[in-house]
């Protein structure tokens, strides 16, 4: 699977990560739900259009304006392939940095949590990262009180390597795993 393939998926897992076209991403970033719905009528839900996701859309819109090559890597809509239902978001924070590191991120709509979607999204992201020769390290940053996400990534070989302060999210613990090691955990 290449990073530009649409959509990202793993056989038999029932979840697809569908790229948001730049025009729709910019409409979302401008909080123009009407235009975004015209551009992507079957992919946008009240959760994805809501307050919890608005800051992310705004950030990603600005990001791809300044760094168009990030567009293929960033946030995608997670869709249950069996029902065509959007269940959340998942993607990378951008293309690999100078040391070959990519950071993952995922958010599942509260109505669909605890159903395995976050796990499957994580496995898809790890698989995509492992297939890119320029990716060597996969990073996840998680709030210390997000026990569910911390427990999830611990099952995929991530190790705690430090912490950071994020202006929007506050204190975060930094976890990393080698891309090659993550692939065996995701597919094993």
């Amino acid at each position: 699977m290449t990073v530009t393939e649409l959509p990202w998926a793993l056989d038999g897992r029932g979840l697809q990560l569908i790229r948001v076209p730049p025009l729709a991403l910019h409409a979302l970033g401008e909080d123009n739900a009407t235009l975004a719905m015209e551009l992507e009528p079957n992919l946008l839900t009240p959760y994805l259009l809501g307050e919890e996701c608005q800051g992310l859309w705004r950030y990603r819109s600005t990001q791809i304006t300044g760094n168009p090559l990030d567009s293929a890597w960033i946030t995608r809509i997670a869709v249950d392939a069996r029902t065509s239902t959007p269940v959340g978001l998942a993607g990378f924070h951008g293309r690999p940095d100078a040391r070959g590191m990519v950071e993952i991120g995922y958010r599942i709509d509260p109505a669909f949590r605890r159903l395995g979607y976050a796990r499957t999204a994580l496995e898809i992201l790890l698989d995509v990262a492992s297939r890119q020769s320029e990716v060597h390290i996969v990073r996840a940053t998680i709030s210390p009180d997000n026990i569910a996400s911390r427990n999830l990534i611990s099952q995929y070989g991530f190790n705690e390597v430090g912490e950071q302060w994020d202006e929007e999210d506050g204190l975060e613990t930094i976890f990393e795993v080698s891309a090659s090691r993550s692939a065996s955990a995701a597919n094993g």
Side-chain angles (χ1 to χ4, degrees), residues 5-174:
E5 274 187 54
L6 301 175
W8 293 343
L10 287 172
D11 290 339
R13 304 289 173 95
L15 189 71
Q16 299 177 329
L17 303 183
I18 298 176
R19 185 176 177 186
V20 180
L23 287 177
L25 181 62
H26 292 310
L28 289 164
E30 295 168 2
D31 200 18
N32 187 339
T34 303
L35 177 57
M37 287 296 288
E38 288 176 16
L39 295 168
E40 290 300 322
N42 299 320
L43 292 179
L44 298 173
T45 64
Y47 172 74
L48 297 174
L49 293 169
E51 187 176 320
E52 186 173 335
C53 296
Q54 183 55 46
L56 176 67
W57 296 127
R58 194 172 16 262
Y59 183 85
R60 296 294 179 228
S61 174
T62 301
Q63 177 182 358
I64 68 166
T65 297
N67 299 298
L69 294 177
D70 282 353
S71 181
W73 290 86
I74 62 168
T75 308
R76 291 171 178 236
I77 298 175
V79 176
D80 183 315
R82 297 167 291 236
T83 63
S84 299
T85 304
V87 298
L89 305 168
F92 300 100
H93 288 213
R95 65 187 185 273
D97 68 10
R99 71 179 188 132
M101 187 273 294
V102 291
E103 185 171 343
I104 60 168
Y106 49 87
R107 292 182 187 180
I108 302 300
D109 183 325
F112 297 102
R113 290 183 183 155
R114 311 296 297 164
L115 299 173
Y117 291 118
R119 176 179 303 281
T120 304
L122 174 61
E123 290 174 353
I124 291 169
L125 294 173
L126 293 173
D127 183 65
V128 169
S130 73
R131 294 172 185 269
Q132 310 311 308
S133 61
E134 66 272 34
V135 176
H136 307 294
I137 299 165
V138 179
R139 172 180 282 186
T141 57
I142 302 173
S143 169
D145 61 348
N146 188 340
I147 303 304
S149 280
R150 293 170 72 94
N151 287 339
L152 177 60
I153 66 158
S154 72
Q155 298 170 42
Y156 293 87
F158 283 84
N159 295 302
E160 185 175 333
V161 298
E163 58 185 30
Q164 67 184 18
W165 183 262
D166 183 90
E167 291 300 320
E168 187 172 321
D169 299 326
L171 181 64
E172 298 176 324
T173 306
I174 303 168

